[in-house]
């Protein structure tokens, strides 16, 4: 049975930054979150058609921060050392930040956003402009052979039909191959109150408990779990064909930890929903009070996460003057739903009193480089609770 525990209201496509002329046709959907008492999977109540989100105007590029570029370089190094794969597949290769660390002859990539598939094809990495499906997996096996390493970062949680997606992995994986994927962690979201992990693209927020069953139903087994700090707290899950590898203690430890936090218990999710409501109330009180005192408030990082926060809390340009972001394709546009202008970083942080940290998951990187701003200004974040930095 699916239980709806959170309602974040009508929301736009989180990464759909708009030109003023596009406002009148903006698509919105009802963003709710459910807990499935059978599978323990947390998912959106209503899925958005994938082609609305992932197409050739997709704006998020994975190498947009040093944190993520370094993360993918280090991950490639770790996976090469551990598994020495001869053949690699990346699902959701974005701008190639991960596969660039491998020899192009060994790699096939799958990426539904045409603008990004073009970039990696031009670099010599064979990239299929496709969503990840069983026919695509079969095509790769037929044309290129099975894969020793299949990697997907912040991608599996985007896929609505997980059963087909995992079955396609099993089809494409060599007998001793490893499937490594990383996605935001449900446990971390519950712990941090980071409800802004929830937006159209994140069809599911994974626990190891739910993944274990989903993978097992498709001939796969989790054999290792690593906790990562990226994207506000993620899990890197290592899986293989059932029975082909020893199971590391980290799997049992993760399952016990999830059990202790109460991920089986519906009350855990209802308590989370109450915390989300309080967060909204506190953030609005803070912003309204700062505005009343005539402080200049902006937002730092035009993130998908901030789309959820601004639309759920009803924060528009009467509270936040503008959003600064380093991504050229977002600059000069309006934020989804609340239509706050997005501008470049240069020259737009002076004379600012407070900056809401839309990119709170890069707090360390941003605080390190914004020393000057922090001499007079303060960042505002809502994670794990509303506070000033
Ligand atoms: P993400 O949270 O989905 O990774 O998106 C991060 C966004 O924040 C992306 O649009 C780039 C932007 N950003 C900045 O504008 N400045 C920064 O220093 C960092 C780290 C990110």
């Amino acid at each position: 049975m699916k239980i709806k525990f959170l309602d974040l209201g009508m929301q736009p496509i989180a990464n759909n930054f708009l030109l003023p002329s596009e406002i009148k046709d903006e698509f919105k959907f009802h963003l709710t979150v459910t807990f499935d008492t059978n599978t323990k999977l947390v998912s959106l109540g209503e899925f958005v058609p994938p082609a609305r989100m992932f197409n050739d105007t997709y704006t998020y590029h994975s190498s947009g921060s040093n944190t993520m570029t370094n993360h993918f370089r280090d991950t490639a190094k770790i996976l090469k050392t551990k598994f020495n794969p001869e053949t690699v597949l990346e699902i959701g290769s974005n701008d190639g930040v991960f596969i660039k660390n491998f020899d192009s002859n060994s790699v096939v990539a799958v990426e539904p956003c045409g603008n990004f598939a073009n970039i990696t094809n031009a670099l010599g990495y064979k990239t299929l402009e496709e969503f990840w499906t069983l026919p695509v997996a079969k095509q790769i096996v037929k044309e290129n052979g099975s894969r020793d390493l299949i990697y997907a970062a912040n991608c599996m949680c985007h896929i609505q039909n997980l059963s087909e997606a995992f079955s396609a992995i099993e089809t494409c994986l060599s007998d001793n191959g490893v499937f490594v994927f990383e996605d935001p962690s449900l446990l971390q979201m519950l712990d941090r109150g980071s409800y802004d992990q929830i937006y159209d693209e994140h069809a599911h927020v994974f626990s190891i408990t739910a993944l274990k069953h989903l993978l097992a139903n498709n001939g796969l087994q989790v054999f290792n779990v690593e906790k990562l700090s990226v994207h506000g707290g993620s899990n890197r899950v290592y899986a293989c064909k059932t029975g082909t590898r020893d199971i590391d203690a980290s799997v049992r430890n993760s399952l016990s930890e999830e059990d202790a936090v109460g991920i089986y218990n519906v009350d855990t999710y209802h308590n989370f929903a109450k915390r989300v409501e309080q967060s909204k109330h506190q953030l609005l009180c803070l912003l309204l009070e700062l505005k009343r005192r005539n402080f200049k408030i902006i937002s730092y990082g035009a993130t998908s996460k901030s789309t959820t926060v601004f639309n759920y809390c009803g924060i528009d340009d009467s509270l936040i003057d503008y959003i600064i972001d380093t991504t050229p394709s977002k600059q000069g546009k309006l934020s989804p739903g609340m239509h706050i202008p997005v501008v470049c970083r240069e020259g737009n942080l002076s004379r600012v009193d407070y900056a809401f940290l839309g990119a709170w998951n890069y707090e360390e990187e941003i605080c390190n480089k914004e020393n000057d701003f922090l001499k007079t200004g303060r960042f505002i974040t809502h994670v794990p609770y509303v506070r000033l930095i």
Side-chain angles (χ1 to χ4, degrees):
M1 187 178 48
K2 283 191 180 179
I3 295 176
K4 185 170 95 178
F5 64 90
L6 185 61
D7 185 341
L8 294 169
M10 293 306 288
Q11 292 270 352
I13 301 292
N15 256 315
N16 187 28
F17 291 83
L18 306 152
L19 293 169
S21 59
E22 294 167 329
I23 288 177
K24 64 179 189 331
D25 297 324
E26 191 172 22
F27 170 83
K28 291 203 178 157
F29 72 106
H30 194 180
L31 182 60
T32 58
V33 193
T34 63
F35 170 64
D36 187 322
T37 52
N38 299 321
T39 63
K40 317 300 174 218
L41 188 63
V42 168
S43 308
L44 300 190
E46 180 187 324
F47 292 140
V48 171
R52 272 203 182 269
M53 301 178 277
F54 308 112
N55 51 48
D56 55 12
T57 61
Y58 192 63
T59 47
Y60 177 76
H61 67 116
S62 305
S63 36
S65 70
N66 291 336
T67 307
M68 290 317 292
T69 303
N70 295 343
H71 171 77
F72 288 119
R73 185 201 56 214
D74 296 347
T75 303
K77 212 166 161 185
I78 291 168
L79 297 180
K80 278 183 195 168
T81 309
K82 272 192 177 166
F83 305 114
N84 194 20
E86 276 181 25
T87 53
V88 179
L89 163 69
E90 185 179 18
I91 307 170
S93 48
N94 195 270
D95 60 7
V97 65
F98 174 76
I99 52 171
K100 274 187 215 160
N101 298 288
F102 290 84
D103 184 321
S104 59
N105 293 321
S106 65
V107 175
V108 178
V110 175
E111 169 54 61
C113 303
N115 50 338
F116 288 118
N118 287 345
I119 294 176
T120 45
N121 271 319
L123 291 171
Y125 291 86
K126 178 176 175 176
T127 310
L128 305 178
E129 188 185 325
E130 298 278 3
F131 287 98
W132 177 245
T133 60
L134 201 48
V136 169
K138 287 181 179 161
Q139 181 191 339
I140 292 171
V141 174
K142 195 168 158 205
E143 291 175 5
N144 306 93
S146 59
R147 306 277 103 190
D148 297 335
L149 170 66
I150 301 180
Y151 179 73
N154 306 304
C155 176
M156 297 315 290
C157 72
H158 293 178
I159 301 181
Q160 297 167 5
N161 184 346
L162 288 174
S163 194
E164 180 186 358
F166 289 138
S167 160
I169 299 279
E170 204 275 339
T171 299
C172 206
L173 198 62
S174 63
D175 285 345
N176 277 319
V178 286
F179 167 41
V180 181
F181 62 111
E182 40 188 87
D183 291 285
S185 147
L186 176 67
L187 208 62
Q188 294 289 332
M189 182 184 89
L190 294 174
D191 186 44
R192 295 176 189 201
S194 47
Y195 66 91
D196 49 352
Q197 286 291 6
I198 297 161
Y199 51 90
D200 55 342
E201 291 180 20
H202 289 177
H204 317 278
V205 188
F206 291 142
S207 62
I208 303 303
T209 306
L211 284 173
K212 183 176 173 239
H213 295 300
L214 281 162
L215 289 163
N217 288 342
N218 292 287
L220 297 166
Q221 192 168 32
V222 181
F223 69 90
N224 198 353
V225 178
E226 286 168 359
K227 288 184 183 159
L228 307 173
S229 60
V230 293
H231 283 302
S234 301
N235 283 318
R236 178 182 291 148
V237 178
Y238 294 76
C240 59
K241 293 201 178 188
T242 306
T244 58
R245 285 178 192 260
D246 293 337
I247 313 294
D248 187 79
S250 57
V251 179
R252 199 183 50 240
N253 293 344
S254 298
L255 295 171
S256 311
E257 208 181 341
E258 290 182 352
D259 190 14
V261 167
I263 71 141
Y264 289 93
N265 189 343
V266 177
D267 289 345
T268 305
Y269 300 95
H270 288 309
N271 289 339
F272 176 75
K274 280 187 206 142
R275 180 172 171 185
V276 172
E277 257 179 61
Q278 282 163 3
S279 174
K280 170 181 179 172
H281 177 71
Q282 285 164 1
L283 181 61
L284 281 174
C285 284
L286 175 64
L287 294 176
L288 287 165
E289 173 59 14
L290 294 175
K291 207 69 199 171
R292 194 187 60 77
R293 289 157 64 193
N294 280 326
F295 287 119
K296 177 169 176 174
I297 315 171
I298 65 146
S299 189
Y300 195 112
T303 58
S304 317
K305 294 180 182 65
S306 61
T307 296
T308 293
V309 174
F310 293 160
N311 284 276
Y312 171 60
C313 299
I315 295 168
D316 60 13
D317 61 3
S318 65
L319 287 174
I320 300 274
D321 291 11
Y322 51 79
I323 307 173
I324 55 174
D325 196 284
T326 50
T327 314
S329 59
K330 293 182 184 176
Q331 294 161 3
K333 296 204 175 158
L334 302 171
S335 73
M338 300 315 286
H339 308 146
I340 304 171
V342 182
V343 298
C344 66
R345 149 83 184 74
E346 284 64 41
N348 286 314
L349 201 52
S350 51
R351 292 185 301 280
V352 168
D353 300 302
Y354 292 90
F356 176 73
L357 206 43
W360 58 265
N361 43 317
Y362 299 104
E363 180 181 329
E364 196 179 328
E365 177 177 339
I366 292 171
C367 286
N368 283 342
K369 69 181 172 198
E370 299 300 359
N371 270 327
D372 279 350
F373 166 69
L374 284 168
K375 282 178 191 154
T376 51
R378 306 285 297 272
F379 283 117
I380 301 170
T381 184
H382 65 295
V383 177
Y385 48 85
V386 175
R387 66 195 163 97
L388 299 176
I389 299 172

Coordinates of all heavy atoms in Angstrom, one line a residue, residues 39-40 79 86 130 140 170 196 203 245 322:
T39 N 7.2 -2.4 -0.4 CA 8.6 -2.3 -1.0 C 9.5 -1.4 -0.2 O 10.7 -1.5 -0.3 CB 8.6 -1.8 -2.4 OG1 8.1 -0.5 -2.4 CG2 7.7 -2.7 -3.3
K40 N 8.9 -0.6 0.7 CA 9.6 0.4 1.5 C 10.2 1.5 0.6 O 11.1 2.3 1.1 CB 10.8 -0.2 2.4 CG 10.5 -1.5 3.1 CD 9.3 -1.3 4.0 CE 8.9 -2.6 4.6 NZ 7.5 -2.8 4.8
L79 N 37.4 3.1 -8.9 CA 36.8 2.0 -9.6 C 37.8 1.2 -10.5 O 37.8 0.0 -10.6 CB 35.6 2.4 -10.4 CG 34.5 3.0 -9.5 CD1 33.3 3.5 -10.4 CD2 34.0 2.0 -8.5
E86 N 37.6 -3.8 -18.3 CA 38.0 -3.6 -19.7 C 36.9 -2.9 -20.5 O 37.2 -2.2 -21.5 CB 38.2 -5.0 -20.3 CG 39.6 -5.5 -20.1 CD 39.8 -6.9 -20.7 OE1 39.1 -7.2 -21.7 OE2 40.7 -7.6 -20.2
E130 N 19.5 8.2 -25.6 CA 18.4 7.3 -25.3 C 18.2 7.4 -23.8 O 19.1 7.6 -23.0 CB 18.7 5.9 -25.6 CG 19.0 5.6 -27.1 CD 17.8 5.4 -27.9 OE1 16.6 5.5 -27.3 OE2 17.9 5.1 -29.1
I140 N 23.2 -2.6 -26.8 CA 24.6 -2.5 -26.4 C 25.3 -3.8 -26.4 O 26.4 -4.0 -26.9 CB 24.7 -1.7 -25.1 CG1 24.3 -0.3 -25.3 CG2 26.2 -1.8 -24.5 CD1 24.1 0.5 -24.0
E170 N 21.1 -6.0 -15.5 CA 21.4 -7.5 -15.4 C 21.7 -8.0 -16.8 O 22.7 -8.8 -17.0 CB 20.3 -8.2 -14.7 CG 20.7 -9.5 -14.0 CD 20.7 -10.7 -15.0 OE1 20.0 -10.6 -16.1 OE2 21.4 -11.7 -14.7
D196 N 14.2 19.5 0.1 CA 14.4 19.9 -1.3 C 15.1 18.9 -2.1 O 15.4 19.2 -3.3 CB 15.1 21.3 -1.3 CG 16.4 21.3 -0.4 OD1 16.6 20.3 0.4 OD2 17.1 22.3 -0.4
A203 N 12.4 10.7 -9.0 CA 11.2 9.9 -8.9 C 11.2 9.1 -7.6 O 10.1 8.8 -7.1 CB 11.1 9.0 -10.1
R245 N 29.7 -12.5 -5.7 CA 30.8 -11.8 -4.8 C 30.4 -11.9 -3.3 O 29.2 -12.1 -3.0 CB 30.8 -10.3 -5.2 CG 31.6 -10.1 -6.5 CD 31.6 -8.6 -6.8 NE 32.1 -8.6 -8.2 CZ 33.3 -8.3 -8.6 NH1 34.2 -8.0 -7.7 NH2 33.7 -8.3 -9.9
Y322 N 17.4 38.5 -6.6 CA 17.8 37.7 -7.7 C 18.6 36.5 -7.2 O 19.0 36.4 -6.0 CB 18.7 38.5 -8.7 CG 19.8 39.3 -8.1 CD1 21.0 38.7 -7.8 CD2 19.7 40.7 -7.8 CE1 22.1 39.4 -7.2 CE2 20.7 41.4 -7.2 CZ 21.9 40.7 -6.9 OH 22.9 41.4 -6.3

